[in-house]
Structures are given as C-alpha cells and as structure tokens.
C-alpha cells in the first residue's frame, strides 16, 4: 500500500499537490475553528437609498483565525461547500444571527430583519425546514425578523425541489430573496414560481454604472430591466455593491429604493452597528 501511495503521489504536479495540501490543512483548521467558536458575523446595512435609513441587514461570516486574523468568506466558504462543512457552518451562522436578535431585543435596541445566506448544499439538505425551525424554537424569535438569501444559481440547480423547499420556508413566515440575480440565467417562468419577496441585483452590473461607462452601458440596461421586472412581479429590488453617488443617482432615477454597498456602510460588527440601530438611522 505504501508503494501504491508513492506511485500515486508522482502523478501530482508539485503545484497541484501543494494546493491540495493547503486545502486539506484549511479544511482541518476550519473544522476545528468552527468547534472553537472562531466564526463571527458582520452585518451590512441595506438602506433606503434616499434617506439612508437602515431597513434590514445581511449577516456575513468571517473566520477569526488565532494566527492569521480575520479571514474573508471567499477563502473558506468555497472549501466549506466542497467538503460538506457548510452543513455545520450554516446552522452556526443562523444560531448566531438569532441570538444577536435576541440580545438586541432584550436590550431594547430597535431591530431590523437580518438576512442569512443559504448555500445550495444547505438548500437541498434533507429536512432543512425542520432544522431551521428547531433553531428558531430555541431562540424564540419571530420568523418575520429573518430573511434567507438564495443565489439564483442555487435555486436553478433543481428548480422543482427549490420551489417546494422555498414554499415551505415561506409558509413558516420567513422572507426570501434571490441573491446575485442576473448571473444564473433563471428563466422568467421559473422566477414567477419561486415565492420570493426580493431580488438582489448582482454587483457586477452596478460596477458598469458610474465609471467611464456611465448609464448607457450594458450593465445599466440590465439593471433597468431587472428593476422593471421587479415592479411587474411585485418583488422588491435591492441593489448590491453600490459604491458611488452616480450609481445611487441612477438607481433613484430608475425607481430602485433599496441598496447595500460601501457608499452607505461596510459590513459592521454587532457593536458597531448597534448605535446606528439605536439612532434609528
Ligand atoms: P454575497 O452574499 O453576494 O455578499 C455580498 C458581498 O459583497 C459581501 O462580501 C460584501 O462585503 C460585499 N460588498 C458589499 N458592498 C460592497 C461594495 O460596495 N463593493 C464591493 N466591492 N463589495 C461589496 P463578503 O462578506 O466577502 O462575502 C462574500 C460571499 O461569501 C458572499 O457574497 C456569500 O456568497 C458568501 N458568504 C458570506 N457569508 C456567508 C454565510 O454565512 N453563509 C454562506 N453560505 N455564504 C456566505
Ligand atoms: Ca448574499
Ligand atoms: Ca450577492
Ligand atoms: Ca456573491
């Protein structure tokens, strides 16, 4: 067996081998990190684009590694998804978001709904609705305070199943939104069947507005089309990744009133966002 291993080893290029090792180490470290409570949440406001008032916020995971510091999700969510660790990570995020709502409620902080990301693997996990309900029951918070974001591509992976699962979640009282919209080729007939209350326009379309490319770019046309779609279907539209006043102006002019982006606020810790909630901003 030892010989076999060595022979197999030869087939890996040094680079591929190093990458696999890194991935393996990261997976082990993440597994341990999750057990040790190293996952923390930041909250990014979604604001009324004209008044700046916080309407809701998205919970975004960060890994507070003891040596490497704060690791962004781009460096561990893909690994969590490919190794199945996401099925441990997801409930940790949901539990923390629920507990945060509970803490704020107890302290009299005016709360707004928190949106939690659900990855494709979680969405199609057996008994998802019951798992979520168990967590909710433990923290006794109103489902109206929680929203789930599902990417368009996750919903499209198995659309019939997605319609069933999302309808169950909707029946529980949760708000649902389609994340990264415009990147996953959802057909309009499916969009109509998904019980969503909001569509989040993917950041990539916004980046084409407000630079040299201005309001005549292809991105601008797509943003306009999605806003029109939203008003026809009676679905709220949230613009993601708004960074400039030009983008903000464009959205106001075309009837999109809710946005999330660095122009308004970065993702903030619970401590940082609390005074903003208290001030009713
Ligand atoms: P996402 O769900 O599309 O989240 C929005 C991302 O855009 C966040 O990146 C946010 O910090 C970033 N962002 C917000 N405003 C701006 C802006 O104005 N400009 C730019 N350039 N970026 C902006 P983040 O926090 O690094 O998260 C990346 C992705 O990781 C998320 O994309 C989501 O797919 C995933 N993720 C994060 N937390 C979780 C989680 O708890 N569960 C799951 N399943 N996925 C998560
Ligand atoms: Ca999201
Ligand atoms: Ca997004
Ligand atoms: Ca994204």
């Amino acid at each position: 067996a030892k010989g076999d291993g060595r022979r197999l080893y030869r087939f890996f290029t040094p680079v591929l081998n190093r990458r696999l090792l890194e991935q393996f180490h990261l997976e082990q470290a993440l597994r341990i990190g999750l057990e040790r409570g190293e996952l923390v949440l930041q909250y990014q406001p979604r604001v009324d684009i004209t008044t700046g008032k916080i309407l809701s916020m998205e919970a975004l995971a960060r890994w507070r590694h003891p040596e490497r510091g704060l690791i962004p999700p781009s460096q561990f969510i893909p690994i969590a998804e490919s190794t199945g660790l996401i099925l441990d990570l997801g409930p940790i995020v949901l539990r923390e978001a629920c507990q945060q709502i509970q803490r704020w409620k107890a302290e009299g902080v005016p709360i707004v709904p928190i949106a939690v990301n659900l990855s494709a693997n979680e969405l199609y996990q057996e008994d998802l609705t019951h798992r979520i309900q168990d967590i909710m029951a433990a923290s006794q918070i109103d489902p109206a305070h929680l929203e789930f974001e599902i990417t368009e591509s996750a919903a499209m992976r198995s659309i019939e199943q997605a319609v069933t699962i999302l309808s169950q979640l909707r029946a529980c009282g949760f708000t649902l939104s389609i994340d990264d919209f415009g990147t996953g080729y959802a057909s309009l007939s499916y969009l109509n069947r998904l019980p969503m209350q909001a569509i989040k326009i993917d950041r990539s379309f916004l980046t084409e507005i407000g630079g040299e490319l201005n309001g005549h770019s292809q991105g601008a046309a797509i943003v306009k089309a999605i806003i029109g779609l939203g008003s026809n279907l009676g679905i709220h539209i949230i613009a993601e990744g708004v960074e400039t006043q030009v983008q903000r102006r464009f959205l106001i002019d075309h009837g999109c009133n809710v946005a999330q982006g660095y122009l308004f606020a970065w993702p903030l810790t619970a401590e940082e966002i609390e005074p903003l909630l208290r001030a009713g901003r």
Side-chain angles (χ1 to χ4, degrees):
K2 203 178 173 193
D4 284 343
R6 208 173 293 148
R7 213 178 310 145
L8 211 124
Y9 188 84
R10 273 199 358 231
F11 288 103
F12 291 107
T13 67
V15 169
L16 179 59
N17 188 41
R18 200 181 61 220
R19 233 184 252 161
L20 281 173
L21 265 177
E22 263 169 24
Q23 164 134 0
F24 177 74
H25 284 313
L26 209 58
E27 181 195 342
Q28 295 300 93
L30 181 58
R31 195 181 298 278
I32 293 166
L34 290 180
E35 280 166 15
R36 289 186 182 155
E38 290 171 7
L39 200 81
V40 294
L41 295 187
Q42 288 188 349
Y43 301 91
Q44 188 179 32
R46 295 152 159 194
V47 305
D48 178 315
I49 211 164
T50 47
T51 64
K53 189 178 162 56
I54 300 177
L55 304 174
S56 56
M57 51 196 168
E58 178 176 10
L60 294 160
R62 276 93 181 86
W63 178 10
R64 198 182 289 281
H65 192 280
E67 285 123 41
R68 296 201 223 174
L70 215 58
I71 301 178
S74 57
Q75 288 180 36
F76 65 87
I77 292 286
I79 287 175
E81 279 177 351
S82 66
T83 58
L85 262 185
I86 194 79
L87 300 183
D88 295 326
L89 188 151
I92 293 174
V93 169
L94 181 58
R95 219 169 283 130
E96 176 55 30
C98 289
Q99 286 169 1
Q100 188 57 61
I101 292 174
Q102 233 182 355
R103 284 192 287 267
W104 277 331
K105 246 170 61 183
E107 293 165 14
V109 177
I111 42 181
V112 295
I114 295 181
V116 168
N117 290 284
L118 266 191
S119 76
N121 290 321
E122 296 176 84
L123 182 63
Y124 299 111
Q125 186 189 20
E126 198 163 343
D127 249 9
L128 172 76
T129 311
H130 287 125
R131 288 168 201 271
I132 290 176
Q133 278 178 320
D134 284 348
I135 294 174
M136 297 296 293
S139 58
Q140 292 185 306
I141 66 162
D142 185 345
H145 288 137
L146 266 193
E147 175 175 326
F148 290 106
E149 295 189 3
I150 297 98
T151 62
E152 186 186 16
S153 53
M156 293 305 291
R157 191 187 280 184
S158 177
I159 186 72
E160 295 299 329
Q161 249 183 302
V163 169
T164 305
I165 297 161
L166 293 171
S167 301
Q168 283 172 8
L169 290 177
R170 185 61 192 144
C172 294
F174 300 111
T175 305
L176 305 172
S177 58
I178 300 196
D179 203 355
D180 300 351
F181 188 79
T183 60
Y185 312 104
S187 88
L188 292 187
S189 57
Y190 287 138
L191 188 60
N192 218 0
R193 291 182 54 201
L194 292 169
M196 316 308 275
Q197 286 71 62
I199 288 174
K200 299 185 80 179
I201 306 176
D202 192 69
R203 180 161 57 86
S204 59
F205 304 117
L206 263 294
T207 55
E208 290 183 38
I209 303 168
E212 305 296 308
L213 289 166
N214 73 47
H216 300 292
S217 66
Q218 199 186 9
I222 292 172
V223 171
K224 275 192 265 184
I226 297 175
I227 295 170
L229 188 67
S231 70
N232 282 324
L233 295 176
I235 298 175
H236 298 287
I237 300 293
I238 302 168
E240 275 196 296
V242 178
E243 295 182 350
T244 68
Q245 285 294 349
V246 174
Q247 292 168 340
R248 174 174 171 271
R249 190 70 246 167
F250 179 91
L251 291 166
I252 292 174
D253 289 347
H254 294 90
C256 175
N257 304 313
V258 185
Q260 183 179 337
Y262 297 162
L263 178 67
F264 306 102
W266 304 83
L268 304 167
T269 64
E271 292 70 36
E272 287 167 339
I273 206 168
E274 189 180 308
L276 303 181
L277 293 174
R278 281 193 192 277
R281 267 192 245 141

